[in-house]
Amino acid sequence: LYTAPDSCRGRCQEPYSPEDECHCDAECERHRDCCEDYYRHCRDEGFSSSWDAITDQELLQVSEQLYRADHNKARPTDIAINPQYQASPDETGDQEDRSPQPLYKYVNEELFSKPTYASFIKLLDNYQRATGREEDVTAEELREQDNFLREVMKTELMKKLFAFLHKKNRYGSEQEFVADLKEMWFGLYSRGDGEQDSSGFEHVFSGEVKKGKVSGFHNWIRFYLLEKQGAVNYFSHNFEGPWDTYPDVLGLQFSWDGFYKEVGSAFIGSSPEFEFGLYTLCFIARPGRA
């Protein structure tokens, strides 16, 4: 349902990008760099005809729609952060704590009682952070996954995303979409020696440790909860978004039980469904590409 990087499935008339392994734009025949299945997909009607491709402009428009539909995001009074030291590019790898205070001064934890937040937080303790160790998924954890998907699909934001993808012939029904969300986010894969040790959700939201370094871990709620427990130590930030409300964006350096994250970018104050929906859109529209 999403695209292999060496296929034109779902990519007909997609803008040229030098990052792509092969191309599906109108010029690829002239440049002789079309994907092997260009003629099969892009010359026939159906899923991959040119009007089903997701253009850069549509990506921008839908992302803005999701942003406006994030009714569960934090209000300016819900969060107070203390970014302290701003690291230069050549300081991010120093592993030096230049900020004596925690990043979060205040979070209104009433946010966490909202259904999408509450069901999201239940998922965070379901993973072994070390890569190379097989994940053991219990029946209760599967129920928690289903409950989270059920809650996010009740939101206007995820309904807008489904409506767009349905219009683009990616999914015939909401049931099909939810089944694919479960596989793309919670389906296990290997990060090394064949063990089923990772998933999209674990990497992006919960965080992993690979070869002694923090990998993934891009979620503000996860950071706040671990910082409150004393498991995360904030060191500095190298980027702060220019916005005066939430969600904001921060690029930060931190230590997680002694494991270092050199640059961890994160939305601050967005709802779980906003990140979940936005990253899903990116993965379906531009898999393996920027």
Side-chain angles (χ1 to χ4, degrees):
L1 294 168
Y2 30 89
T3 321
D6 59 352
S7 170
C8 281
R9 183 173 166 82
R11 291 177 51 206
C12 298
Q13 305 305 318
E14 184 180 273
Y16 173 84
S17 168
E19 295 176 346
D20 293 342
E21 293 179 24
C22 57
H23 305 281
C24 309
D25 59 298
E27 297 292 302
C28 74
E29 291 178 86
R30 190 161 63 84
H31 294 301
R32 298 185 178 178
D33 56 8
C34 299
C35 298
E36 285 185 16
D37 59 4
Y38 171 77
Y39 294 96
R40 177 155 58 90
H41 287 302
C42 300
R43 293 307 178 96
D44 300 324
E45 292 190 1
F47 165 64
S48 263
S49 53
S50 59
W51 53 85
D52 290 337
I54 298 173
T55 66
D56 286 351
Q57 185 61 30
E58 286 173 319
L59 265 183
L60 177 62
Q61 289 169 344
V62 177
S63 299
E64 292 288 349
Q65 281 182 17
L66 300 184
Y67 181 86
R68 287 192 295 272
D70 188 10
H71 306 308
N72 285 328
K73 68 183 178 186
R75 297 161 303 182
T77 53
D78 287 329
I79 301 176
I81 59 173
N82 183 16
Q84 300 165 80
Y85 188 82
Q86 181 158 1
S88 63
D90 58 354
E91 290 177 320
T92 59
D94 289 354
Q95 302 195 30
E96 197 172 317
D97 184 0
R98 294 182 168 93
S99 301
Q101 303 299 318
L103 173 62
Y104 286 91
K105 288 198 287 190
Y106 169 75
V107 171
N108 176 11
E109 294 194 10
E110 286 181 20
L111 280 171
F112 301 159
S113 62
K114 294 185 177 190
T116 56
Y117 284 81
S119 57
F120 172 82
I121 289 169
K122 276 190 166 22
L123 294 167
L124 294 174
D125 63 358
N126 289 354
Y127 300 99
Q128 301 183 64
R129 67 183 176 189
T131 57
R133 293 172 62 186
E134 189 106 5
E135 291 290 345
D136 178 28
V137 184
T138 66
E140 183 183 358
E141 288 170 357
L142 289 171
R143 282 194 296 273
E144 289 173 353
Q145 292 172 12
D146 289 336
N147 187 45
F148 173 69
L149 291 170
R150 197 161 42 245
E151 292 300 340
V152 296
M153 287 308 300
K154 292 176 185 175
T155 65
E156 179 191 338
L157 189 153
M158 289 297 288
K159 288 189 182 303
K160 281 185 181 295
L161 177 60
F162 169 69
F164 172 75
L165 296 171
H166 178 63
K167 187 179 75 176
K168 288 292 183 180
N169 283 333
R170 294 307 202 269
Y171 301 100
S173 67
E174 192 172 301
Q175 185 180 6
E176 186 186 359
F177 179 45
V178 172
D180 201 36
L181 286 172
K182 187 167 186 178
E183 179 58 32
M184 77 171 78
W185 282 104
F186 299 107
L188 296 173
Y189 61 85
S190 174
R191 278 200 172 269
D193 301 323
E195 301 91 348
Q196 300 290 286
D197 62 349
S198 188
S199 69
F201 187 93
E202 178 184 5
H203 178 81
V204 172
F205 294 109
S206 184
E208 302 174 288
V209 172
K210 184 177 182 182
K211 296 180 180 174
K213 291 186 176 179
V214 177
S215 178
F217 196 142
H218 300 285
N219 180 255
W220 76 271
I221 301 166
R222 173 71 161 161
F223 190 100
Y224 166 75
L225 292 172
L226 287 176
E227 186 178 61
K228 187 179 170 187
Q229 293 171 20
V232 160
N233 181 15
Y234 170 72
F235 281 15
S236 56
H237 68 287
N238 62 300
F239 173 81
E240 185 173 4
W243 302 278
D244 56 5
T245 186
Y246 294 112
D248 203 344
V249 173
L250 207 62
L252 57 160
Q253 292 69 54
F254 61 90
S255 167
W256 180 18
D257 286 337
F259 300 104
Y260 188 61
K261 181 71 174 181
E262 186 169 335
V263 179
S265 56
F267 283 103
I268 311 289
S270 57
S271 70
E273 60 266 30
F274 174 71
E275 292 191 68
F276 193 72
L278 189 67
Y279 304 156
T280 294
L281 171 66
C282 293
F283 179 56
I284 291 171
R286 301 286 185 270
R289 302 191 294 287

